[in-house]
Amino acid sequence: QISSMPLLSMHSRQISWTPLLVLGYLFYLLLGAMVFQLLEKQAETHFRDQFQLEKLKFLQNYTCLDRQALEQFVQVLMEAWEKGVNPEGNSTSPSNWDFSNSFFFAGTVVTTIGYGNLSPSTVAGQIFCVFYALFGVPLNLAFLNQLGKGLNAHLLTLERWVQKPGRAQVQLAIFLTTGTLLFLVFPPLVFSYVEGWSYGEGFYFTFITLSTIGFGDYVVGTNPNKHYIPVYRSLTAIWIVFGLAWLALVFNVGADLMERYLQLKWHKSDLSLAEGATTKLEDEPEQPRIHIPS
Protein backbone atom coordinates (compact mmCIF):
# COMPACT_ATOMS: atom_id res chain seq x y z
CA GLN A 1 0.00 0.00 0.00
CA ILE A 2 2.59 2.53 1.15
CA SER A 3 5.16 1.59 -1.57
CA SER A 4 2.70 2.46 -4.33
CA MET A 5 2.14 6.00 -3.04
CA PRO A 6 5.23 7.54 -4.71
CA LEU A 7 4.16 6.19 -8.09
CA LEU A 8 0.64 7.55 -7.69
CA SER A 9 1.99 10.88 -6.51
CA MET A 10 4.42 11.05 -9.43
CA HIS A 11 1.64 10.21 -11.88
CA SER A 12 -0.63 12.90 -10.45
CA ARG A 13 2.12 15.51 -10.66
CA GLN A 14 3.28 14.47 -14.11
CA ILE A 15 2.85 17.43 -16.47
CA SER A 16 2.74 17.02 -20.20
CA TRP A 17 5.28 19.03 -22.18
CA THR A 18 2.55 20.07 -24.65
CA PRO A 19 1.47 23.18 -22.66
CA LEU A 20 5.09 24.31 -22.64
CA LEU A 21 5.23 23.92 -26.42
CA VAL A 22 2.01 25.93 -26.82
CA LEU A 23 3.32 28.70 -24.57
CA GLY A 24 6.64 28.72 -26.39
CA TYR A 25 4.84 28.91 -29.75
CA LEU A 26 2.70 31.86 -28.63
CA PHE A 27 5.73 33.59 -27.12
CA TYR A 28 7.62 33.14 -30.39
CA LEU A 29 4.75 34.74 -32.34
CA LEU A 30 4.56 37.65 -29.89
CA LEU A 31 8.31 38.13 -30.08
CA GLY A 32 8.21 38.16 -33.87
CA ALA A 33 5.33 40.66 -33.89
CA MET A 34 7.22 43.05 -31.60
CA VAL A 35 10.48 42.82 -33.55
CA PHE A 36 8.81 43.23 -36.96
CA GLN A 37 6.83 46.22 -35.67
CA LEU A 38 10.01 47.77 -34.30
CA LEU A 39 11.95 47.24 -37.52
CA GLU A 40 9.32 47.91 -40.20
CA LYS A 41 6.74 50.40 -38.92
CA GLN A 42 9.00 53.43 -39.05
CA ALA A 43 10.25 52.51 -42.52
CA GLU A 44 6.67 52.09 -43.73
CA THR A 45 5.77 55.55 -42.42
CA HIS A 46 8.79 57.01 -44.20
CA PHE A 47 7.91 55.38 -47.53
CA ARG A 48 4.28 56.44 -47.19
CA ASP A 49 5.23 60.08 -46.58
CA GLN A 50 7.74 59.92 -49.42
CA PHE A 51 5.07 58.61 -51.78
CA GLN A 52 2.66 61.39 -50.86
CA LEU A 53 5.44 63.93 -51.39
CA GLU A 54 6.20 62.51 -54.83
CA LYS A 55 2.53 62.80 -55.80
CA LEU A 56 2.49 66.45 -54.73
CA LYS A 57 5.63 67.14 -56.76
CA PHE A 58 4.08 65.41 -59.76
CA LEU A 59 0.97 67.58 -59.53
CA GLN A 60 3.09 70.71 -59.23
CA ASN A 61 5.11 69.80 -62.34
CA TYR A 62 2.04 68.82 -64.37
CA THR A 63 -0.57 71.43 -63.57
CA CYS A 64 -2.92 70.08 -66.21
CA LEU A 65 -3.68 67.16 -63.88
CA ASP A 66 -5.70 67.37 -60.72
CA ARG A 67 -5.51 65.10 -57.68
CA GLN A 68 -8.55 63.05 -58.71
CA ALA A 69 -7.07 62.25 -62.13
CA LEU A 70 -3.79 61.24 -60.50
CA GLU A 71 -5.55 58.97 -58.01
CA GLN A 72 -7.43 57.30 -60.86
CA PHE A 73 -4.16 56.69 -62.71
CA VAL A 74 -2.60 55.22 -59.56
CA GLN A 75 -5.63 52.94 -59.26
CA VAL A 76 -5.09 51.76 -62.82
CA LEU A 77 -1.47 50.98 -62.00
CA MET A 78 -2.50 49.02 -58.90
CA GLU A 79 -5.05 46.98 -60.85
CA ALA A 80 -2.45 46.24 -63.53
CA TRP A 81 -0.01 45.06 -60.86
CA GLU A 82 -2.63 42.84 -59.27
CA LYS A 83 -3.25 41.24 -62.67
CA GLY A 84 0.45 40.47 -63.02
CA VAL A 85 1.28 43.29 -65.44
CA ASN A 86 4.44 45.19 -64.53
CA PRO A 87 3.77 48.94 -64.96
CA GLU A 88 7.37 49.46 -66.05
CA GLY A 89 6.93 47.26 -69.11
CA ASN A 90 5.27 47.89 -72.45
CA SER A 91 3.28 45.90 -74.98
CA THR A 92 6.46 44.22 -76.26
CA SER A 93 7.29 42.71 -72.87
CA PRO A 94 7.15 38.88 -72.69
CA SER A 95 3.83 37.43 -71.67
CA ASN A 96 3.35 36.29 -68.08
CA TRP A 97 1.48 33.27 -69.42
CA ASP A 98 3.87 31.77 -71.93
CA PHE A 99 4.72 28.10 -71.37
CA SER A 100 7.78 28.71 -69.19
CA ASN A 101 6.00 31.20 -66.93
CA SER A 102 2.89 29.00 -66.80
CA PHE A 103 5.05 26.02 -65.79
CA PHE A 104 6.58 28.13 -63.03
CA PHE A 105 3.13 29.24 -61.88
CA ALA A 106 1.88 25.64 -61.80
CA GLY A 107 4.81 24.79 -59.57
CA THR A 108 3.97 27.61 -57.15
CA VAL A 109 0.39 26.32 -56.96
CA VAL A 110 1.09 22.69 -56.11
CA THR A 111 3.91 23.59 -53.72
CA THR A 112 1.62 26.17 -51.98
CA ILE A 113 4.29 28.88 -52.30
CA GLY A 114 1.86 31.33 -53.89
CA TYR A 115 3.98 34.45 -54.45
CA GLY A 116 0.89 36.55 -55.08
CA ASN A 117 2.37 38.57 -57.92
CA LEU A 118 0.46 36.54 -60.53
CA SER A 119 -2.91 34.85 -60.41
CA PRO A 120 -5.63 33.78 -62.87
CA SER A 121 -7.83 36.68 -63.93
CA THR A 122 -10.49 34.73 -65.85
CA VAL A 123 -13.30 32.82 -64.19
CA ALA A 124 -12.35 29.66 -66.08
CA GLY A 125 -8.74 30.04 -64.98
CA GLN A 126 -9.74 30.53 -61.34
CA ILE A 127 -12.02 27.48 -61.35
CA PHE A 128 -9.33 25.36 -62.99
CA CYS A 129 -6.78 26.62 -60.44
CA VAL A 130 -9.00 25.44 -57.56
CA PHE A 131 -9.37 21.90 -58.91
CA TYR A 132 -5.75 21.82 -60.08
CA ALA A 133 -4.59 22.64 -56.54
CA LEU A 134 -7.13 20.23 -55.04
CA PHE A 135 -5.41 17.28 -56.71
CA GLY A 136 -1.97 18.83 -57.19
CA VAL A 137 -1.19 19.63 -53.56
CA PRO A 138 -1.67 16.01 -52.34
CA LEU A 139 0.30 14.81 -55.37
CA ASN A 140 3.11 17.20 -54.50
CA LEU A 141 3.11 16.02 -50.87
CA ALA A 142 3.31 12.39 -52.00
CA PHE A 143 6.15 13.25 -54.38
CA LEU A 144 8.08 15.14 -51.71
CA ASN A 145 7.50 12.29 -49.27
CA GLN A 146 8.92 9.78 -51.76
CA LEU A 147 11.82 12.12 -52.48
CA GLY A 148 12.46 12.42 -48.75
CA LYS A 149 12.55 8.62 -48.48
CA GLY A 150 15.15 8.63 -51.23
CA LEU A 151 17.24 11.11 -49.28
CA ASN A 152 16.91 8.94 -46.17
CA ALA A 153 18.03 5.91 -48.16
CA HIS A 154 21.03 7.91 -49.35
CA LEU A 155 21.85 8.75 -45.74
CA LEU A 156 21.70 5.06 -44.83
CA THR A 157 24.10 4.31 -47.70
CA LEU A 158 26.49 6.90 -46.30
CA GLU A 159 26.16 5.33 -42.88
CA ARG A 160 27.20 1.92 -44.24
CA TRP A 161 30.04 3.51 -46.17
CA VAL A 162 31.50 5.43 -43.26
CA GLN A 163 32.78 2.70 -40.94
CA LYS A 164 34.30 4.91 -38.27
CA PRO A 165 33.32 6.05 -34.78
CA GLY A 166 30.93 8.96 -34.91
CA ARG A 167 29.76 8.10 -38.41
CA ALA A 168 26.26 9.46 -37.64
CA GLN A 169 27.74 12.90 -37.04
CA VAL A 170 29.79 12.68 -40.24
CA GLN A 171 26.75 11.54 -42.19
CA LEU A 172 24.60 14.40 -40.89
CA ALA A 173 27.36 16.93 -41.56
CA ILE A 174 27.71 15.73 -45.18
CA PHE A 175 23.95 15.90 -45.70
CA LEU A 176 23.62 19.40 -44.26
CA THR A 177 26.73 20.76 -45.99
CA THR A 178 25.83 19.41 -49.43
CA GLY A 179 22.23 20.59 -49.22
CA THR A 180 23.23 24.00 -47.92
CA LEU A 181 25.63 24.51 -50.81
CA LEU A 182 23.20 23.28 -53.48
CA PHE A 183 20.06 24.99 -52.25
CA LEU A 184 21.08 27.97 -50.08
CA VAL A 185 24.61 29.14 -50.98
CA PHE A 186 25.10 28.72 -54.75
CA PRO A 187 21.58 29.67 -56.00
CA PRO A 188 21.73 33.23 -54.60
CA LEU A 189 24.90 33.74 -56.64
CA VAL A 190 23.00 32.76 -59.80
CA PHE A 191 19.99 34.91 -58.94
CA SER A 192 22.22 37.87 -58.09
CA TYR A 193 23.89 37.63 -61.49
CA VAL A 194 20.71 37.11 -63.53
CA GLU A 195 18.32 39.40 -61.65
CA GLY A 196 20.77 42.10 -60.57
CA TRP A 197 20.06 41.54 -56.87
CA SER A 198 22.54 41.67 -54.04
CA TYR A 199 23.61 38.36 -52.53
CA GLY A 200 21.54 39.12 -49.44
CA GLU A 201 18.43 39.65 -51.56
CA GLY A 202 19.13 36.44 -53.46
CA PHE A 203 19.55 34.48 -50.22
CA TYR A 204 16.37 36.05 -48.85
CA PHE A 205 14.43 34.99 -51.96
CA THR A 206 15.93 31.48 -51.77
CA PHE A 207 14.92 30.81 -48.18
CA ILE A 208 11.50 32.48 -48.42
CA THR A 209 10.77 30.36 -51.50
CA LEU A 210 12.01 26.99 -50.23
CA SER A 211 10.21 27.45 -46.92
CA THR A 212 6.99 28.04 -48.95
CA ILE A 213 6.46 31.42 -47.28
CA GLY A 214 6.45 33.14 -50.66
CA PHE A 215 5.84 36.83 -49.96
CA GLY A 216 6.11 37.79 -53.61
CA ASP A 217 8.33 40.83 -53.05
CA TYR A 218 11.13 39.06 -54.94
CA VAL A 219 10.24 36.79 -57.86
CA VAL A 220 12.59 35.55 -60.57
CA GLY A 221 12.04 36.37 -64.22
CA THR A 222 9.76 39.39 -63.75
CA ASN A 223 12.03 42.30 -64.64
CA PRO A 224 10.80 43.73 -67.98
CA ASN A 225 14.19 45.33 -68.63
CA LYS A 226 16.00 41.99 -68.71
CA HIS A 227 16.01 39.25 -71.32
CA TYR A 228 15.79 35.78 -69.79
CA ILE A 229 16.45 32.46 -71.48
CA PRO A 230 13.17 30.62 -72.19
CA VAL A 231 13.80 27.79 -69.69
CA TYR A 232 15.01 30.04 -66.87
CA ARG A 233 11.84 29.89 -64.78
CA SER A 234 11.24 26.23 -65.62
CA LEU A 235 14.69 25.31 -64.30
CA THR A 236 13.98 27.42 -61.24
CA ALA A 237 10.76 25.49 -60.65
CA ILE A 238 12.65 22.18 -60.75
CA TRP A 239 15.24 23.54 -58.32
CA ILE A 240 12.42 24.61 -56.01
CA VAL A 241 10.92 21.10 -55.91
CA PHE A 242 14.17 19.42 -54.87
CA GLY A 243 14.99 22.25 -52.48
CA LEU A 244 11.59 21.86 -50.84
CA ALA A 245 12.28 18.17 -50.18
CA TRP A 246 15.67 18.90 -48.63
CA LEU A 247 14.54 21.80 -46.47
CA ALA A 248 11.41 19.93 -45.36
CA LEU A 249 13.62 17.06 -44.19
CA VAL A 250 15.84 19.52 -42.31
CA PHE A 251 12.78 21.07 -40.66
CA ASN A 252 11.47 17.63 -39.71
CA VAL A 253 14.80 16.71 -38.13
CA GLY A 254 14.86 20.01 -36.23
CA ALA A 255 11.29 19.56 -35.01
CA ASP A 256 12.04 15.99 -33.92
CA LEU A 257 15.13 17.09 -31.99
CA MET A 258 13.19 19.89 -30.31
CA GLU A 259 10.37 17.51 -29.33
CA ARG A 260 12.81 14.97 -27.92
CA TYR A 261 14.60 17.70 -25.97
CA LEU A 262 11.34 18.89 -24.39
CA GLN A 263 10.28 15.35 -23.54
CA LEU A 264 13.69 14.65 -21.99
CA LYS A 265 13.51 17.79 -19.85
CA TRP A 266 10.07 16.86 -18.55
CA HIS A 267 11.14 13.25 -17.98
CA LYS A 268 14.08 14.40 -15.87
CA SER A 269 11.76 16.71 -13.93
CA ASP A 270 9.36 13.84 -13.23
CA LEU A 271 12.21 11.59 -12.10
CA SER A 272 13.48 14.22 -9.70
CA LEU A 273 9.99 14.61 -8.23
CA ALA A 274 9.65 10.85 -7.83
CA GLU A 275 13.05 10.53 -6.17
CA GLY A 276 12.18 13.34 -3.77
CA ALA A 277 8.90 11.68 -2.81
CA THR A 278 10.60 8.31 -2.30
CA THR A 279 13.31 9.84 -0.10
CA LYS A 280 10.70 11.63 2.00
CA LEU A 281 8.75 8.41 2.58
CA GLU A 282 11.90 6.48 3.49
CA ASP A 283 12.84 9.12 6.07
CA GLU A 284 9.44 8.96 7.76
CA PRO A 285 9.15 6.28 10.48
CA GLU A 286 6.81 3.44 9.75
CA GLN A 287 3.44 3.91 11.43
CA PRO A 288 2.43 1.14 13.87
CA ARG A 289 -0.22 -1.15 12.54
CA ILE A 290 -3.21 -2.00 14.73
CA HIS A 291 -4.49 -5.55 14.35
CA ILE A 292 -8.25 -5.84 14.84
CA PRO A 293 -9.28 -9.45 15.40
CA SER A 294 -12.25 -10.64 13.45
Side-chain angles (χ1 to χ4, degrees), residues 29-271:
L29 292 178
L30 293 174
L31 176 65
M34 290 187 295
V35 173
F36 284 128
Q37 183 182 19
L38 180 65
L39 296 176
E40 299 295 333
K41 186 175 182 180
Q42 186 175 0
E44 179 199 27
T45 303
H46 172 73
F47 289 133
R48 184 177 297 171
D49 295 340
Q50 187 69 23
F51 178 67
Q52 296 298 329
L53 182 61
E54 291 296 330
K55 287 199 299 184
L56 290 176
K57 290 181 179 179
F58 186 83
L59 290 174
Q60 292 175 356
N61 293 331
Y62 299 93
T63 56
C64 58
L65 292 176
D66 57 5
R67 177 176 292 273
Q68 183 178 2
L70 179 59
E71 294 295 338
Q72 291 177 352
F73 182 67
V74 171
Q75 184 65 30
V76 171
L77 293 178
M78 294 296 297
E79 292 178 356
W81 179 262
E82 292 175 357
K83 299 299 182 182
V85 178
N86 195 322
E88 294 180 351
N90 49 47
S91 59
T92 61
S93 300
S95 172
N96 289 323
W97 294 104
D98 57 16
F99 182 79
S100 178
N101 289 331
S102 298
F103 183 84
F104 182 80
F105 175 77
T108 62
V109 172
V110 299
T111 57
T112 69
I113 295 176
Y115 287 115
N117 68 312
L118 185 65
S119 59
S121 59
T122 63
V123 176
Q126 293 170 353
I127 295 176
F128 175 75
C129 185
V130 170
F131 287 98
Y132 185 76
L134 184 63
F135 295 98
V137 172
L139 178 62
N140 176 73
L141 293 176
F143 174 76
L144 293 181
N145 184 41
Q146 193 66 25
L147 195 58
K149 290 180 180 179
L151 292 175
N152 283 328
H154 181 65
L155 292 179
L156 293 176
T157 303
L158 285 176
E159 183 178 356
R160 289 191 296 266
W161 179 69
V162 182
Q163 300 294 332
K164 295 179 181 180
R167 61 178 180 269
Q169 289 82 354
V170 175
Q171 160 191 337
L172 182 60
I174 293 175
F175 171 73
L176 292 177
T177 302
T178 305
T180 301
L181 291 175
L182 290 178
F183 299 113
L184 292 179
V185 176
F186 291 152
L189 294 174
V190 177
F191 296 139
S192 300
Y193 175 77
V194 177
E195 301 290 341
W197 299 337
S198 65
Y199 183 83
E201 292 172 329
F203 184 84
Y204 169 80
F205 163 78
T206 298
F207 184 81
I208 293 299
T209 296
L210 296 185
S211 58
T212 69
I213 298 174
F215 290 124
D217 48 353
Y218 289 89
V219 183
V220 297
T222 57
N223 190 340
N225 298 321
K226 291 185 176 294
H227 299 282
Y228 303 99
I229 60 176
V231 295
Y232 172 60
R233 301 191 85 186
S234 299
L235 293 176
T236 303
I238 296 174
W239 163 78
I240 288 175
V241 171
F242 286 94
L244 283 175
W246 175 80
L247 194 59
L249 190 57
V250 172
F251 284 160
N252 288 336
V253 171
D256 184 61
L257 292 176
M258 184 179 298
E259 184 176 348
R260 291 183 181 182
Y261 174 77
L262 292 175
Q263 289 178 341
L264 181 62
K265 295 293 287 184
W266 280 110
H267 181 64
K268 288 183 177 180
S269 176
D270 292 337
L271 288 179

